[in-house]
Amino acid sequence: MQRTTGLLLATVLGLSATACGAGEPGTPASKGAAVTITVACQPARSAPKERAAWDDDVAAFMKAHPGVTVKSTDQQPCFDPKTFGPKLAGGQMETAFVVPVTNYADVIGKGQAMDISAYTGEIKNWNDLRADVRELVTKDGKVYGVPNVHYSVGLVYNRKLFTQAGLDPDAPPATWAEIREAARKIAALGPGHIGYGEYSGGNTGGWHFTQALYGRGGAVLTDDGKKAAFNSPEGRAVLQTLHDMRWSDNSMGSRLLVGWESLMMAMGSGKVGMMLGAPDVVTDVVNKFKGNVADYGITGFPEAKASLSGGEAFMINPRATPEQARAALQWLDFRYNTVGKGRFDFARGKTLGNPVGVPDNDVYGDSATGRAIQAERERNATLPVRNYAPYVRAAAAVPPKAEPAHAQELYAILDVVMSGVLSRQDADPGKLLADAEAKANALLAAKG
């Protein structure tokens, strides 16, 4: 789902010489042949420092790769579930693009991603990538993507608001009862304060419902994936808790938060106490939505029996030429997979005022590259790492659970459930779940 998109907002890289990604043939980009790649997800103009850093990376990459021209385009959010499918089906997808883990099998199965097995050597640390995440982009021994993100969910909270509300920021909630109590106290701070923020639409509502459901031990689908399983005691508990927080406790505010940016903006305003999210929520809240870098902490998922985990990978459009594929992978290596460069240039992030030190469940794990990345992160940390110690401890002990098959379509159905309990005081959680179950089962039947 969205990360940074959150899913987590996903970062998309595109390369093309035409709208469909085809380009003129030539010798490999690494040998200096002329090739043009177009990269999407350039930071917005509203984030000038991050945009300038991106542009610096583009310039440095082109200098190191004579003959390669990189053209950047704005695209925020980078992964849009409403346009992703139609763009793929219509042949309009960028040449190199981000795919959420839930869509890997579909994209690979439909032949919409290039077999890059012959080119993985362009990613110098390829063998240090976690074996389990590499396996996710591999089918029948062929590699179809470069893993880019792996994460699990925790509880992001505003330490400053906790202090103002008389709560101990070093002892964050560990149960839903404690979350309700903390949310009531934060909401009581005054107008505009929201104790606990939640989504109701834009597929993010269904995504967060799934997070909460997994935490309680529930499932979205049956084990065989053929039927909906969310109309369950765990599903009803999720909705009842949200209903009670919204209407009995008045701790969730009255505004429906639909798209990914809405809750992130609210969190950045400094008036939202808690939300479910992965560690990169802190980075995005600070970088994109002007949150105070010192205010945020992360703890474990409350009462977690499992935690939703997910991620994304870069895939290459099968219409790309070999020269384009190599150039794209060289860019991915430089920008996303080199210690001290691109996204791992923590020294630069520190000078930009970014919240360096936020823990990652990154794709390199405890490999040599992973340890080097963590050492650089700690060396340049601008945040006290103790703020995230509860999350680090909890995440190591909570079993990960992947997003369901057909996640985006199911999330759209579950959006209605979330919107119902947050917009109508007389909403019946059981009825909402039963209606959603019927729609989900019809969807699954149509999928075969």
Side-chain angles (χ1 to χ4, degrees):
M1 190 53 198
Q2 292 101 325
R3 279 196 25 66
T4 108
T5 146
L7 147 43
L8 283 79
L9 176 67
T11 303
V12 179
L13 171 69
L15 96 138
S16 65
T18 70
C20 297
E24 65 279 1
T27 56
S30 60
K31 295 183 180 179
V35 61
T36 297
I37 64 174
T38 302
V39 295
C41 294
Q42 180 183 31
R45 295 184 186 279
S46 58
K49 292 182 180 179
E50 289 74 21
R51 188 181 180 96
W54 170 283
D55 292 344
D56 288 345
D57 284 345
V58 169
F61 175 79
M62 290 195 295
K63 182 177 181 180
H65 295 78
V68 178
T69 299
V70 177
K71 296 183 178 180
S72 303
T73 58
D74 292 318
Q75 183 178 320
Q76 300 291 342
C78 296
F79 171 73
D80 184 347
K82 294 181 180 178
T83 61
F84 180 74
K87 284 177 69 175
L88 272 177
Q92 300 301 311
M93 184 59 75
E94 295 86 359
T95 307
F97 53 97
V98 159
V99 181
V101 65
T102 48
N103 296 75
Y104 290 179
D106 187 53
V107 171
I108 294 170
K110 290 179 178 178
Q112 294 168 322
M114 177 185 285
D115 172 8
I116 60 170
S117 303
Y119 309 130
T120 57
E122 302 293 350
I123 307 298
K124 300 181 186 66
N125 298 326
W126 177 261
N127 290 329
D128 274 0
L129 287 163
R130 287 173 43 169
D132 55 352
V133 295
R134 277 189 285 139
E135 184 62 29
L136 293 174
V137 295
T138 303
K139 182 179 181 181
D140 300 328
K142 298 178 180 179
V143 178
Y144 291 91
V146 181
N148 190 53
V149 171
H150 179 78
Y151 69 90
S152 64
V153 171
L155 182 76
V156 179
Y157 66 103
N158 188 309
R159 293 172 58 88
K160 181 178 179 180
L161 290 182
F162 266 58
T163 300
Q164 291 176 350
L167 300 162
D168 183 355
D170 293 325
T175 68
W176 281 103
E178 291 175 358
I179 286 176
R180 284 189 66 179
E181 179 62 22
R184 280 193 290 263
K185 291 182 177 180
I186 291 168
L189 289 174
H193 286 83
I194 296 172
Y196 180 81
E198 192 51 279
Y199 291 110
S200 64
N203 284 27
T204 50
W207 179 42
H208 269 216
F209 172 85
T210 299
Q211 294 178 9
L213 180 68
Y214 283 3
R216 291 179 183 270
V220 173
L221 300 179
T222 54
D223 289 343
D224 61 9
K226 296 184 181 298
K227 294 285 185 179
F230 53 74
N231 186 8
S232 61
E234 295 85 4
R236 288 188 287 278
V238 170
L239 295 188
Q240 192 63 56
T241 296
L242 292 175
H243 181 276
D244 293 346
M245 291 176 72
R246 168 70 179 92
W247 300 105
S248 298
D249 302 348
N250 294 313
S251 63
M252 297 186 67
S254 59
R255 178 170 168 253
L256 288 178
L257 301 173
V258 176
W260 172 84
E261 290 189 348
S262 59
L263 181 51
M264 302 291 277
M265 289 175 66
M267 199 75 182
S269 74
K271 290 193 173 184
V272 175
M274 296 170 284
M275 65 175 283
L276 297 181
D280 66 328
V281 165
V282 173
T283 305
D284 281 346
V285 164
V286 171
N287 287 352
K288 297 182 173 71
F289 304 106
K290 312 306 179 186
N292 187 326
V293 70
D295 288 350
Y296 302 98
I298 316 167
T299 188
F301 201 97
E303 302 179 67
K305 296 180 180 178
S307 176
L308 184 145
S309 66
E312 65 187 33
F314 287 100
M315 293 186 181
I316 305 297
N317 193 312
R319 301 186 184 202
T321 66
E323 294 73 36
Q324 289 178 313
R326 288 190 181 95
L329 289 166
Q330 289 163 9
W331 164 256
L332 294 178
D333 180 68
F334 176 83
R335 173 73 185 179
Y336 298 99
N337 292 281
T338 300
V339 180
K341 301 290 185 182
R343 67 167 170 170
F344 295 133
D345 188 346
F346 298 117
R348 179 176 65 185
K350 183 176 182 179
T351 66
L352 295 179
N354 290 347
V356 179
V358 174
D360 279 326
N361 288 314
D362 62 48
V363 294
Y364 280 102
D366 193 40
S367 66
T369 298
R371 292 191 295 272
I373 290 169
Q374 182 60 21
E376 281 293 298
R377 181 183 290 117
E378 292 180 1
R379 186 176 299 115
N380 293 283
T382 61
L383 301 177
V385 293
R386 67 183 186 85
N387 286 9
Y388 312 110
Y391 172 84
V392 173
R393 289 193 298 268
V398 178
K401 189 177 179 69
E403 293 182 273
H406 315 299
Q408 300 305 327
E409 291 149 297
L410 290 167
Y411 292 164
I413 291 171
L414 291 167
D415 275 351
V416 179
V417 171
M418 294 289 278
S419 178
V421 296
L422 296 176
S423 65
R424 302 199 313 271
Q425 188 168 1
D426 63 351
D428 179 347
K431 177 67 164 54
L432 288 168
L433 286 171
D435 290 346
E437 179 183 32
K439 292 177 182 177
N441 284 338
L443 167 71
L444 295 168
K447 295 287 185 180

